[in-house]
Amino acid sequence: MNMKPNYHSEHEKRQKRQNEQWKQQSDEYNVKPLKGIKVIDLTRVLAGPFATMILGDLGAEVIKVERPGTGDDTRAWGPPFVGNESAYFISVNRNKKSIAVNLKDPRGARIIKELAEVCDVLVENYLPRKLNEMGLGYQDLSTVAPRLIYCSISGYGQTGPQSHKPGYDSIASAISGMMHITGPEHGDPVRPGVAMTDLATGLYAHGAILAALLQRQKTGKGLHIDCNLLSSQVACLTHIASNYLNAKKEAKRWGTAHESIVPYQGFKTSDGFLVVAAGNDLQFVKVCKVLSLDNLGDDPKYRTNKLRVQHRDELLQALSERFLEETTDEWLRRFDGTGVPVGPINSIQQMFSDPQVSHNGLILEMEHPTSGTITVPGPAVRFSNFEFDRPAPPPVIGQHTVQILKDTLGYSDDVIHELLDLKTIDQHEFQL
């Protein structure tokens, strides 16, 4: 007797097989892309540590080399402190191992050379040519480690008339024109609320290192990367730079507003601030409907964005007066579902209470060896085939000195104790 196939049962079987295959593939592919890559981190403060933290998030073993006793400058940048660690330091140093080495001691410099021979990447942010004096410049290390990718982060570049000067975010932000275009329309230049020039440089450096690793797969050779604050910030000026280079149009400060789009800015409400970004004519009409200002939406002099830019002051005056009549939450409720991009200007507390921020995994908790539970912003990017699980907390100074010398370089206990006695290296006491 012919039996009709049970399509429901067959579908379940196929689905079960598919799920098992997906799980197997997930287990196979849940490997971070930089697993097995070793990074020597000779950077301090923000741009370099931010770059190497991202490499650590992606699976690289990051060996942070610090000065015995004081370590990275930002360890002292507080308050606030969490235990003995500054909140600043812990924000950009997860997934790293700390080795405390005196680079001014030839024996300490030799340790870095030996690490270079077994590592893939070195990142440093010393003044140009400073490491050359210690025998740790690119030419020195590429001789003993030809596959080494050597990334230098500086203020202005490795060569040129300003290359000898130290790099600081605020100075590079000023020189690059970034500060000139930041601030109230009729006010003074303003420094951005976070060190965006440093952070942009860290992102450029991390991307350049990944590109260099890909190139090394093709050539078998390492290379030197020249990454600097000035170049990073000028490159990030994008259309502002293009406006000047192509049309000789000098930029100015606009506060929260946009030079070429109206309305596209923050508005004060009865209890806070709201940003409205009406990027086209239809969205402008919708803004007017929400505000019950249909007369503005129908006014011929506001019909196109070009006309709205021409009549900016008059239009914004009318919109601003209306926004003051309701709370931020009420305006958000009225705009919901209209298709007009809007958002509150949140405090940091309000931002971390946003459910989307939590959903995106941007609140990351770790157990620090001396400070207890710490919380930092999580990685900004997600991947389908691997997860950022169980991050290592930022290290204390010299937490991994003995471990690195033993496991990575094969030093004997006698040699390690001798170097400790000579103050060439240091090891945090809680590990001894």
Side-chain angles (χ1 to χ4, degrees):
M1 181 172 64
N2 291 331
M3 298 285 293
K4 289 185 178 181
N6 186 334
Y7 290 106
H8 181 70
S9 177
E10 290 298 316
H11 173 75
E12 286 183 341
K13 289 179 182 178
R14 286 196 301 271
Q15 190 65 52
K16 183 178 180 181
R17 287 196 299 269
Q18 185 66 66
N19 289 340
E20 290 174 350
Q21 291 174 359
W22 283 340
K23 184 179 185 304
Q24 182 179 0
Q25 290 175 355
S26 177
D27 292 340
E28 291 174 355
Y29 293 126
N30 191 20
V31 177
K32 292 183 180 180
L34 295 187
K35 183 179 180 181
I37 296 296
K38 289 184 170 63
V39 178
I40 308 169
D41 182 1
L42 291 173
T43 68
R44 302 137 315 199
V45 187
L46 186 54
F50 187 58
T52 55
M53 181 180 70
I54 299 173
L55 299 178
D57 285 341
L58 295 174
E61 179 184 356
V62 179
I63 302 170
K64 184 176 180 69
V65 181
E66 300 191 73
R67 292 169 295 183
T70 57
D72 189 316
D73 298 324
T74 60
R75 288 187 183 272
W77 285 13
F81 291 93
V82 186
N84 293 323
E85 298 290 355
S86 74
Y88 196 118
F89 176 83
I90 66 175
S91 71
V92 288
N93 284 288
R94 66 174 175 266
N95 289 323
K96 301 179 185 181
K97 298 176 179 178
S98 174
I99 177 172
V101 181
N102 180 7
L103 298 188
K104 295 181 180 179
D105 184 333
R107 292 176 292 257
R110 186 166 62 245
I111 290 172
I112 305 305
K113 280 188 177 180
E114 292 172 356
L115 282 172
E117 294 182 45
V118 297
C119 288
D120 302 277
V121 178
L122 183 147
V123 190
E124 59 90 8
N125 64 348
Y126 283 73
L127 277 173
R129 295 171 290 282
K130 187 67 176 178
L131 287 178
N132 294 354
E133 299 171 7
M134 306 176 195
L136 298 176
Y138 172 66
Q139 295 301 329
D140 301 300
L141 297 187
S142 64
T143 301
V144 298
R147 287 174 55 82
L148 182 70
I149 293 163
Y150 191 113
C151 178
S152 295
I153 298 176
S154 62
Y156 306 94
Q158 296 299 299
T159 59
Q162 307 294 328
S163 62
H164 64 286
K165 295 182 178 180
Y168 293 92
D169 170 271
S170 58
I171 306 303
S173 179
I175 294 174
S176 68
M178 176 67 168
M179 262 191 214
H180 176 73
I181 61 172
T182 305
E185 181 178 358
H186 301 295
D188 295 333
V190 171
R191 175 183 175 274
V194 292
M196 289 307 304
T197 302
D198 268 344
L199 296 173
T201 305
L203 289 170
Y204 270 115
H206 129 260
I209 290 167
L210 296 183
L213 287 168
L214 287 173
Q215 190 193 50
R216 191 180 70 175
Q217 286 185 342
K218 300 174 182 178
T219 66
K221 297 181 179 179
L223 51 77
H224 184 225
I225 298 169
D226 178 356
C227 192
N228 67 83
L229 304 184
L230 178 63
S231 296
S232 297
Q233 187 57 74
V234 171
C236 285
L237 292 179
T238 56
H239 70 284
I240 296 295
S242 182
N243 288 348
Y244 175 77
L245 293 172
N246 294 289
K248 295 297 181 264
K249 182 174 177 57
E250 180 61 81
K252 56 173 284 188
R253 291 180 288 285
W254 287 97
T256 64
H258 194 291
E259 178 182 14
S260 305
I261 309 173
V262 175
Y264 198 104
Q265 65 179 71
F267 292 94
K268 186 171 176 51
T269 66
S270 65
D271 66 346
F273 293 89
L274 180 79
V275 170
V276 177
N280 57 52
D281 297 335
L282 178 59
Q283 288 179 346
F284 169 67
V285 172
K286 290 180 177 180
V287 169
C288 294
K289 286 184 179 299
V290 170
L291 271 61
S292 300
L293 295 174
D294 293 336
N295 58 311
L296 296 181
D298 296 334
D299 194 322
K301 66 183 177 185
Y302 302 139
R303 186 161 293 158
T304 68
N305 181 69
K306 182 178 180 181
L307 290 170
R308 292 193 294 276
V309 171
Q310 291 176 6
H311 301 282
R312 174 192 299 267
D313 293 341
E314 180 182 349
L315 173 59
L316 292 179
Q317 179 66 29
L319 296 178
S320 296
E321 290 175 358
R322 179 70 178 103
F323 273 112
L324 280 169
E325 296 176 8
E326 304 288 352
T327 66
T328 299
D329 284 344
E330 175 60 20
W331 286 125
L332 290 173
R333 186 190 67 78
R334 295 190 186 190
F335 274 105
D336 189 33
T338 64
V340 177
V342 297
I345 297 182
N346 283 331
S347 67
I348 303 303
Q349 179 184 19
Q350 290 170 323
M351 176 272 293
F352 277 121
S353 298
D354 189 311
Q356 189 66 47
V357 170
S358 178
H359 173 81
N360 288 358
L362 294 172
I363 303 174
L364 186 62
E365 283 192 356
M366 295 170 284
E367 289 300 318
H368 190 272
T370 61
S371 298
T373 302
I374 60 173
T375 310
V376 299
V381 179
R382 297 284 153 181
F383 299 85
S384 62
N385 283 346
F386 70 92
E387 298 177 358
F388 295 108
D389 55 347
R390 296 184 298 279
V396 296
I397 302 172
Q399 179 178 340
H400 305 91
T401 302
V402 171
Q403 176 193 336
I404 296 296
L405 293 183
K406 275 187 176 182
D407 298 346
T408 304
L409 296 181
Y411 277 34
S412 68
D413 289 340
D414 290 343
V415 171
I416 291 172
H417 283 297
E418 180 183 359
L419 292 172
L420 286 168
D421 291 341
L422 293 169
K423 307 296 184 185
T424 301
I425 61 172
D426 195 13
Q427 169 75 28
H428 195 279
E429 59 182 11
F430 87 92
Q431 279 281 333
L432 291 177

